[in-house]
Amino acid sequence: MAFESLADKLSAAFKKLKSKGKLNETDIKEAMREVKLALLEADVNYKVVKDFVKNVSERAVGQEVLESLTPAQQVIKIVNEELTALMGGQNARLVFPSKPPCIVLMCGLQGSGKTTHSAKLAKYFKGQGRRPLLVACDVYRPAAIEQLKIVGEKAGATVFEMGQGDPVKIASEGVKYAKDHGHDLVIIDTAGRLHIDEKLMEELKNIEKTVVPNEILLVVDAMTGQDAVNVADTFNKALPITGVILTKLDSDTRGGAAISVLQVTGKPIKFSGIGEKIDDLEPFHPERMASRILG
Ligand code: GDP
């Protein structure tokens, strides 16, 4: 599971703190140094770590903490709160418009998990009584359309495809089909590349302008390390991203890049992918994730 090593290191730092009883500023400084190292080793972006430690330190050296009966607990509580804030604070949900359908545009690099998560979302919202339609706009790899059909079937969702035509046209025809057939949720799976290129961005922008999605979800592979931060930054500057789906959190990733993605884009993580199966999707709860990391 992601964040395991970070969790271990933080737990070791806090164990030391707890064993001390009353704390002074030096104790807190020492603990913060360990927290900083743990976050850096977990691959959290340097600037994000610096700000985080500064925020926690400022709160932790306050008189209330130092004079409290359980200062270590107070410090841990502050770290928990700041970590929750770092991961977005509140639960972020998809926003459904009052007039259906809700149009969701999926974007991200190839292999990040777009197709898989399009289907996972369809299944998830089907379970909540919605009627999702999956739209196949990844037209460059014939296998991608086939893959969407296979996972779409697993999700019990209709898949709209027009073969390898113009993705902008397919997206708008897909939305039209949804309106005509009573689908209240349209999930558009788009093409990814191994690297960002102009043509891909132009295509996404054209789809965006044409269908005007309610949600643009950036699919980010938690395993890609600091590169994920650059990728997210570029997508975020090109498109009005509304949220992030963080995938492969079941893997052995250090996880820190994921935290940084949120800080760099300012966009909340709405869902996390925790496996390859159709049901391996969870709404992202920052406070639960922070508690999991802090053990
Ligand atoms: P796309 O190119 O962005 O559409 O990516 P895919 O949906 O094809 O996913 C790429 C690979 O990652 C596939 O082998 C998926 O099974 C795998 N994958 C996707 N999401 C997850 C996840 O949450 N956990 C794990 N372990 N694998 C995933």
Side-chain angles (χ1 to χ4, degrees):
M1 197 68 199
F3 299 116
E4 232 163 61
S5 154
L6 174 60
D8 287 348
K9 294 215 172 77
L10 291 179
S11 143
F14 293 141
K15 204 166 157 201
K16 251 189 247 169
L17 211 54
K18 277 190 226 159
S19 69
K20 285 194 171 141
K22 208 136 183 66
L23 299 180
N24 58 37
E25 267 194 58
T26 316
D27 297 327
I28 290 179
K29 259 195 192 142
E30 173 58 20
M32 284 309 119
R33 203 181 64 84
E34 286 183 40
V35 168
K36 185 174 170 182
L37 282 178
L39 288 168
L40 286 174
E41 275 174 42
D43 207 22
V44 181
N45 180 282
Y46 180 72
K47 193 180 171 303
V48 174
V49 174
K50 233 178 96 189
D51 290 347
F52 177 82
V53 170
K54 187 168 162 271
N55 288 347
V56 174
S57 301
E58 274 172 11
R59 290 181 60 192
V61 295
Q63 289 308 310
E64 278 159 59
V65 173
L66 296 181
E67 284 168 13
S68 86
L69 291 173
T70 52
Q73 290 303 343
Q74 299 293 328
V75 174
I76 296 169
K77 188 166 165 274
I78 293 170
V79 173
N80 192 327
E81 285 168 8
E82 292 291 331
L83 202 55
T84 302
L86 198 62
M87 288 191 287
Q90 304 292 317
N91 295 349
R93 292 164 196 267
L94 287 202
V95 179
F96 281 84
S98 51
K99 190 166 172 273
C102 175
I103 302 169
V104 180
L105 181 64
M106 305 286 276
C107 61
L109 288 190
Q110 187 176 317
S112 57
K114 278 183 306 300
T115 305
T116 314
H117 284 77
S118 298
K120 285 182 183 178
L121 279 181
K123 172 97 195 281
Y124 178 84
F125 284 106
K126 206 175 169 202
Q128 298 195 351
R130 304 268 171 193
R131 294 197 62 223
L133 178 75
L134 289 162
V135 180
C137 286
D138 183 355
V139 296
Y140 305 103
R141 295 180 305 133
I145 302 173
E146 213 37 55
Q147 188 196 348
L148 188 66
K149 280 193 195 159
I150 292 167
V151 285
E153 193 169 323
K154 282 192 192 149
T158 309
V159 175
F160 179 90
E161 57 115 342
M162 292 168 66
Q164 295 181 269
D166 169 19
V168 180
K169 178 150 195 282
I170 299 172
S172 70
E173 290 291 321
V175 171
K176 187 170 177 299
Y177 179 95
K179 285 179 183 161
D180 291 347
H181 293 81
H183 291 281
D184 53 6
L185 174 62
V186 184
I187 300 167
I188 303 174
D189 184 24
T190 63
R193 305 270 206 285
L194 286 177
H195 303 283
I196 290 174
D197 64 51
E198 268 309 303
K199 193 164 171 280
L200 168 74
M201 283 301 169
E202 278 313 306
E203 181 178 303
L204 284 170
K205 281 185 202 167
N206 284 336
I207 296 178
E208 193 260 327
K209 265 189 238 137
T210 308
V211 303
V212 194
N214 303 89
E215 294 271 354
I216 304 178
L217 299 180
L218 176 65
V219 181
V220 176
D221 179 341
M223 290 184 74
T224 49
Q226 284 304 312
D227 203 29
V229 179
N230 303 331
V231 169
D233 194 31
T234 311
F235 271 97
N236 191 47
K237 282 179 178 143
L239 291 162
I241 304 289
T242 58
V244 172
I245 300 184
L246 196 56
T247 68
K248 310 187 194 180
L249 273 189
D250 53 307
S251 66
D252 198 15
T253 159
R254 288 180 290 168
I259 297 177
S260 319
V261 163
L262 176 85
Q263 284 304 301
V264 170
T265 60
K267 302 296 160 63
I269 302 172
K270 297 203 169 182
F271 287 92
S272 52
I274 48 163
E276 293 192 78
K277 300 212 178 66
I278 190 86
D279 289 315
D280 292 335
L281 180 80
E282 278 180 355
F284 187 80
H285 297 287
E287 70 290 355
R288 272 191 224 163
M289 189 53 86
S291 300
R292 203 191 283 175
I293 293 172
L294 294 175

